Amino acid sequence: MLLRLLAPCSLLACLWLPAVARADSPLTYERYSLDNGLDVVLHVDRRLPLVAVDLAYHVGWAHDGSRRGLAHLVEHLMFRGTRDVEDGEHLLLLQERGASNVNAHTDDDGTSYHALVPRDVLPLALWLEGNRMARVRLTREHVEEELQTTIDEWESRVGSELRGLSHEALWNALFPEGHPFHRADPDDIRGLTLSDAQGFVESHYGPANATLVLAGDLPADVKAEVERAFGARRGGGAPAVLSPRRSLQGEQRIARRDAMSTKPFVLIGWLTPGLFEPGDAEADVLAATLDGERLRTMADRHAPGTILELEMGQLSLSGQSMFVFAAEGTSAATPQGMLATLDAILDEVRAASLDPAAVVRTRKRLATGTLRAVQRVDQRASIMQAYVAAGHEPDWLDEDLARYAAVDVDAVAAFVREHLPRDRRVVVLSEAAEVGP
Amino acid sequence: MTASGGRWSRRRVLAGLGSAWLGPGLPWGCAAKSERPPAVPSEPTVWLPPVVYERHDDGMGLWLFEDHGLPLVAMGVVLRVGHRHDPPGRPGAARLAGLMLLEGIEGGDRRELLDRFGDLGTTTVVDVGPSQLGLQCTVHRDDAPAALALLVRTLRASTWAPQAFERVRGDRLEVLESLQGSPDAVVSLGLLEGVFGATEPATALGEGTPRSLAELELAQARAFLEPWLRPDAASVLLAGDVSPDEARAWTEAAREGWEAVSVAMPPEPAPMAQRPEAERPRVVLVPWEGLEQAVVGFGGRHHSYGAPEELPRMLADSIMAGMIEHELRTRQRTSYGVRARTWQTQLGALHQLWARVQPEDAGQAVDGVQQYLQRIASSTLAPAVVEDTRLMAMMDLMDDVHGPEPMLAQLWRLAAEGLRADALQDRLERLQRMDARYVGEALKEGYRASGLCWCVVGDERALQRATRVLPRRGVVTRRPQALFGAAEG
């Protein structure tokens, strides 16, 4: 999994998109709003006595501005207690009663708090979310502890992870200082304060800036439960609209030596169309058609036995995505030689030499993949949240899939010509470390 | 992937486990509050859909889990042979033979085989475990009969092309070489050597050694698998949008022409050769200069899934994992600066807990864990902690049947372990009446200091600091290459 560290916070980066008629859609729903503006989506699925609770605030790490890391810090602080719930009690109360996946994640455009709870426990789960929406207790001590925890997470995800720093270098070269997608580093995080967190919560954490999705074995009085938990809450302002679009000028090369890798490694990154924009589907089809095995066959044609593993993928974000082509070489390979091989592969694709039948298979595989991605009720809740965050209805699956129906070999080749040029990209050339066991 | 993921990424409630030995008293709930949570039942509703198992006249098994929430079917065809059946001196044979199944079937090479699965909107993967070997895939229900037929055909009609064999062998050797660069893999092998006395621990995982893989011949790999390619050694697993009648019809069509054989099944192998307990190391040190973070692990023997002792031990392991993480990640981080995350892993019969730590903190990490182990020996586990863990395990069971693919994984395990169709239901009922005392006893028994082995992988600083607090007897030093059965360079 060469690309694993590049995956952004967005669930949508993992969404593969197939053809399911709306009548067969697994995402049937009812949607309504409370008087205070809370957007509510209900999806009934009675296969198991479980309910997925997913509350998303429409503010994420891309809205951090100069206070990079703030949205993520606030996500952590929301588990540190309220005026009525002690530090850690939120988690305990739910897990003592069988809830799982009690967690949260911060995306570019939203922050989601979620849990999978036994159906009998739904009133408690709703009460806890409604309570911390308005009555979270932020303290200097908790901020200091969570600053350290988020730095630890950075260390785990980037600093001490194989090739983590190479991926981070690529990301920040594509989204440089000042861009809303530029990533927080430990120094950014250390600079955050209690006052920052308080301001962020007061501005954005309220019902008018949130969507609640409940999916599963919902009780008959679910609407009354939602009203009881959230009806008295107020506030929630939307963050400023972002303009993440940028373009690269020329090719930028970054040479590195990865302290933990025993193999050379190459990453190429391009800026590509944002989530659901024209070109986004072509990128997905390209990456799914050229799987690791196909890529390795192509690589072996150009430079036999020099590349061990290859992978490409579109990481879709709101307004501006990135496409990445990654390769790990044999010990004997050089990053420069590997880059030449990757370029030769891309030249082939630009010339529309993909197998049309392979593209058709990809579309079918993506269709199956979409069903696989909604097997569980919590998966369904997440995907519905993702569609809502993008400004669509929760069952937008059909429209989503329709984008793929028109993607053929020529469209993929055109995407490569237009969006993956040699002269507008970032290349990370990573030498192997000299240490080994 | 949550690059900026959640604070509470592990399931256990670590904050409460710090006081796990002091009883159920939780550090909150006393102050006056202006809003109160609603009361909900303490024991939630839990149920599991039934598993259907049928055996054909010729011995082939059919396992079925119905889930009609989506037009999706997850399926597998599995043989009752795995890497524990590797012939003496040929570790890695089962895995190589299994991987050869994807290298083409009569009338087509690997690419064509993959394209045939692609035409059905899927890919297939091979899985080789200690006791089973098989293929699986997930398809739309309209494609399910054709996919099942293709799976069976792939199993039975592999081409065993010499060129493909060389490529597969080369890939496995690359994997072995890569694993030698993984401190996490190395610590597992060190523990396998200590806990089981395995002389070449990599062989216990079915990976083989560079030498055994290099020496294995195509004919030998083929001869290894062929005696098991028979209906009475095979099972079909179906999970998802399929009725029992459809399951029978699809299976019947897929297995057409696969005749029963009258010769006896190959004999079961003898258990892996092990050194006597007195000769086994208690501590395995693996020097690795330049390693930025050390890996500290400890582990012991685990009971197989479904064995009577396994369930309380599984709960005990969950509690232990939570406590160790609390010690390393929460307490020591604030006290000593250890940046650790604890992982609980099961490799066959080995249960291990391990964490990456800064080299200079390796001694404190070991010491902290040892203090926990001492407390276990002299304390009584708080019933509330067991209750919480028991409930989580019940919910996990339900989670394990949440959709066709998780269901297939459960069927795979039932078939591999030779369990009954009602084993999951039985597991749920046992959990519902599990007594905290059994879990406490399992914790004490499973984490007796004398039954555990330690492994530390790291640079000189890490090893020096760890050895100051580790047992002084039974200490051995191994190079990673030796654990993998490779010649040392």
Side-chain angles (χ1 to χ4, degrees):
Chain A
M1 292 294 288
L2 301 177
L3 297 182
R4 58 194 171 132
L5 292 174
L6 278 169
C9 305
S10 173
L11 163 80
L12 289 169
C14 306
L15 271 184
W16 297 111
L17 320 137
V20 181
R22 185 174 294 277
D24 298 332
S25 171
L27 305 183
T28 54
Y29 71 98
E30 179 183 353
R31 187 176 188 180
Y32 67 101
S33 295
L34 300 191
D35 292 342
N36 59 17
L38 181 68
D39 179 28
V40 183
V41 177
L42 306 176
H43 165 71
V44 176
D45 177 337
R46 303 206 187 280
R47 286 175 296 162
L48 290 168
L50 295 169
V51 178
V53 179
D54 195 319
L55 178 67
Y57 295 98
H58 303 300
V59 59
W61 52 256
H63 302 106
D64 284 342
S66 62
R67 313 304 289 161
R68 283 201 295 265
L70 182 55
H72 186 206
L73 174 68
V74 167
E75 175 217 300
H76 281 223
L77 291 168
M78 292 296 282
F79 287 92
R80 300 304 303 267
T82 73
R83 280 178 271 167
D84 312 295
V85 178
E86 296 291 340
D87 183 12
E89 192 179 7
H90 182 109
L91 196 65
L92 275 180
L93 282 172
L94 287 174
Q95 291 195 325
E96 281 175 348
R97 287 159 180 80
S100 60
N101 299 335
V102 184
N103 211 324
H105 67 269
T106 307
D107 291 339
D108 56 332
D109 56 356
T111 306
S112 170
Y113 298 85
H114 45 85
L116 183 65
V117 304
R119 68 178 181 199
D120 323 275
V121 180
L122 179 61
L124 175 63
L126 291 174
W127 181 86
L128 286 166
E129 285 299 353
N131 184 266
R132 70 175 166 181
M133 175 183 276
R135 297 169 65 82
V136 66
R137 188 180 58 216
L138 304 174
T139 71
R140 197 172 307 279
E141 181 191 8
H142 290 164
V143 167
E144 284 171 8
E145 288 176 2
E146 295 306 331
L147 287 177
Q148 186 57 51
T149 302
T150 49
I151 289 170
D152 282 358
E153 286 187 358
W154 184 93
E155 181 67 34
S156 171
R157 180 179 58 82
V158 178
S160 62
E161 188 60 56
L162 184 67
R163 302 188 188 114
L165 290 168
S166 290
H167 285 97
E168 200 75 349
L170 175 70
W171 183 287
N172 282 336
L174 288 168
F175 304 119
E177 187 71 40
H179 191 279
F181 294 172
H182 192 77
R183 279 197 165 149
D185 63 24
D187 285 340
D188 294 322
I189 297 168
R190 281 188 201 97
L192 298 172
T193 65
L194 172 62
S195 171
D196 291 330
Q198 288 169 329
F200 191 87
V201 169
E202 285 167 12
S203 299
H204 305 302
Y205 272 49
N209 189 41
T211 296
L212 173 69
V213 176
L214 302 177
D217 192 7
L218 302 180
D221 64 345
V222 63
K223 289 184 180 177
E225 291 289 354
V226 171
E227 179 64 32
R228 255 194 296 279
F230 294 94
R233 307 305 180 205
R234 295 290 179 268
V241 175
L242 297 172
S243 302
R245 177 86 66 205
R246 76 180 289 257
S247 57
L248 296 172
Q249 305 297 325
E251 181 193 76
Q252 180 184 353
R253 292 197 181 192
I254 301 169
R256 304 192 70 258
R257 181 178 294 279
D258 194 319
M260 285 183 288
S261 175
T262 56
K263 304 277 195 310
F265 186 63
V266 172
L267 285 169
I268 312 176
W270 295 266
L271 293 173
T272 48
L275 180 67
F276 302 140
E277 294 176 8
D280 184 43
E282 286 81 350
D284 287 339
V285 172
L286 168 65
T289 302
L290 290 181
D291 58 19
E293 183 155 336
R294 228 176 260 277
L295 285 170
R296 186 166 165 185
T297 302
M298 295 170 82
D300 281 345
R301 266 205 312 270
H302 295 286
T306 60
I307 295 187
L308 289 174
E309 194 177 352
L310 304 95
E311 191 172 1
M312 53 172 55
Q314 163 90 343
L315 302 169
S316 301
L317 297 164
S318 300
Q320 179 79 79
S321 301
M322 65 190 291
F323 191 92
V324 180
F325 193 5
E328 179 186 73
T330 62
S331 303
T334 65
Q336 289 76 12
M338 293 164 62
L339 177 61
T341 304
L342 301 194
D343 276 332
I345 291 171
L346 289 169
D347 285 342
E348 275 191 55
V349 182
R350 284 188 192 97
S353 63
L354 280 184
D355 176 8
V359 173
V360 172
R361 282 187 205 105
T362 295
R363 291 205 300 256
K364 182 153 185 174
R365 195 152 42 86
L366 295 180
T368 309
T370 297
L371 292 178
R372 294 173 62 199
V374 292
Q375 294 180 70
R376 303 164 48 96
V377 291
D378 46 350
Q379 292 173 320
R380 294 180 185 193
S382 294
I383 285 173
M384 295 172 104
Q385 276 290 14
Y387 285 140
V388 169
H392 303 299
E393 285 300 306
D395 70 342
W396 196 69
L397 199 60
D398 256 6
E399 292 84 343
D400 196 352
L401 301 176
R403 301 181 303 134
Y404 290 82
V407 178
D408 58 14
V409 168
D410 291 336
V412 172
F415 169 82
V416 176
R417 284 194 296 272
E418 183 177 354
H419 296 291
L420 309 185
R422 286 195 192 198
D423 60 352
R424 282 179 284 127
R425 65 183 184 179
V426 175
V427 178
V428 177
L429 302 167
S430 181
E431 302 274 359
E434 289 170 355
V435 297
Chain B
M1 188 75 65
T2 55
S4 40
R7 159 78 171 80
W8 306 97
S9 53
R10 282 182 63 85
R11 306 193 50 180
R12 295 296 309 131
V13 185
L14 303 176
L17 288 171
S19 56
W21 307 103
L22 306 177
L26 297 171
W28 47 74
C30 303
K33 296 169 181 174
S34 57
E35 292 190 6
R36 305 288 300 178
V40 294
S42 58
E43 185 90 7
T45 307
V46 180
W47 74 62
L48 299 174
V51 173
V52 174
Y53 174 73
E54 294 177 0
R55 197 175 179 85
H56 194 274
D57 291 344
D58 63 12
M60 179 186 268
L62 170 61
W63 296 80
L64 171 65
F65 238 139
E66 289 187 70
D67 178 342
H68 301 284
L70 289 168
L72 197 67
V73 179
M75 60 178 64
V77 182
V78 60
L79 297 175
R80 208 160 7 110
V81 57
H83 61 69
R84 72 187 183 90
H85 298 86
D86 279 344
R90 291 187 192 131
R95 195 170 303 279
L96 272 188
L99 290 168
M100 283 301 292
L101 296 175
L102 300 182
E103 292 303 315
I105 55 175
E106 291 162 9
D109 63 9
R110 174 182 175 82
R111 187 72 249 174
E112 288 166 282
L113 176 62
L114 296 181
D115 285 348
R116 290 182 65 178
F117 278 103
D119 289 338
L120 298 168
T122 190
T123 55
T124 183
V125 294
V126 64
D127 183 282
V128 180
S131 306
Q132 86 289 340
L133 181 159
L135 299 160
Q136 57 183 293
C137 67
T138 303
V139 294
H140 191 284
R141 63 159 279 125
D142 293 347
D143 295 311
L148 184 58
L150 185 57
L151 278 184
V152 173
R153 188 161 147 69
T154 303
L155 197 64
R156 296 181 56 204
S158 181
T159 49
W160 299 94
Q163 194 178 2
F165 184 73
E166 291 309 319
R167 185 164 42 74
V168 170
R169 185 212 305 269
D171 287 347
R172 294 314 297 171
L173 287 168
E174 287 280 0
V175 168
L176 272 186
E177 189 187 329
S178 289
L179 284 173
Q180 288 176 48
S182 161
D184 303 346
V186 169
V187 81
S188 296
L189 295 180
L191 291 173
L192 277 169
E193 173 164 351
V195 174
F196 299 103
T199 48
E200 284 189 332
T203 64
L205 301 179
E207 292 292 344
T209 67
R211 189 183 66 248
S212 71
L213 293 184
E215 291 175 353
L216 190 71
E217 294 174 9
L218 172 62
Q220 292 168 331
R222 187 171 190 172
F224 165 79
L225 191 59
E226 278 189 341
W228 299 93
L229 287 169
R230 45 195 284 169
D232 55 346
S235 287
V236 167
L237 321 175
L238 293 167
D241 192 13
V242 46
S243 69
D245 285 344
E246 287 171 323
R248 290 183 200 106
W250 298 351
T251 303
E252 200 56 42
R255 51 153 295 155
E256 188 179 356
W258 199 1
E259 302 296 338
V261 292
S262 55
V263 297
M265 196 84 82
E268 284 296 302
M272 181 174 63
Q274 297 177 359
R275 278 174 280 171
E277 191 163 335
E279 296 176 15
R280 292 177 202 164
R282 296 277 312 281
V283 177
V284 178
L285 301 176
V286 185
W288 188 324
E289 284 312 309
L291 191 63
E292 292 195 347
Q293 289 187 319
V295 185
V296 174
F298 73 102
R301 184 183 294 268
H302 193 80
H303 301 286
S304 60
Y305 185 87
E309 308 88 346
E310 180 264 341
L311 197 52
R313 176 63 194 275
M314 183 270 288
L315 297 177
D317 290 340
S318 292
I319 291 169
M320 175 57 79
M323 286 191 291
I324 298 299
E325 170 144 336
H326 174 73
E327 168 65 26
L328 294 181
R329 197 176 189 206
T330 305
R331 197 177 79 81
Q332 288 205 16
R333 188 195 71 205
T334 52
S335 302
Y336 307 114
V338 173
R339 293 175 183 171
R341 181 168 199 176
T342 311
W343 302 96
Q344 181 185 199
T345 323
Q346 202 156 325
L347 284 173
L350 170 70
H351 179 265
Q352 59 178 1
L353 289 150
W354 54 275
R356 293 186 195 180
V357 298
Q358 301 300 331
E360 60 273 21
D361 297 325
Q364 281 154 345
V366 172
D367 192 43
V369 172
Q370 288 185 328
Q371 286 182 29
Y372 260 110
L373 296 176
Q374 287 170 6
R375 289 174 74 183
I376 288 168
S378 59
S379 308
T380 301
L381 193 59
V385 172
V386 179
E387 184 59 21
D388 178 27
T389 309
R390 183 188 69 86
L391 185 56
M392 295 299 287
M394 286 165 51
M395 299 308 294
D396 282 347
L397 263 183
M398 203 155 53
D399 217 36
D400 288 341
V401 297
H402 199 163
E405 289 183 329
M407 285 173 157
L408 179 70
Q410 293 308 305
L411 294 182
W412 198 281
R413 178 147 68 177
L414 294 178
E417 301 285 346
L419 297 173
R420 291 158 34 132
D422 62 358
L424 294 177
Q425 191 62 43
D426 178 62
R427 192 173 182 81
L428 174 61
E429 289 168 9
R430 290 180 61 212
L431 276 171
Q432 285 170 326
R433 58 175 191 267
M434 178 66 67
D435 191 308
R437 284 173 303 178
Y438 297 141
V439 181
E441 288 165 12
L443 195 61
K444 287 187 179 184
E445 173 61 25
Y447 290 91
R448 267 186 306 113
S450 61
L452 296 174
C453 175
W454 288 84
C455 181
V456 182
V457 182
D459 63 12
E460 193 177 347
R461 271 175 311 168
L463 299 191
Q464 274 183 355
R465 296 188 187 210
T467 49
R468 283 179 202 153
V469 289
L470 282 166
R472 307 240 171 222
R473 291 184 182 174
V475 179
V476 299
T477 301
R478 293 280 184 267
R479 311 291 306 182
Q481 293 90 336
L483 292 169
F484 279 91
E488 296 195 30

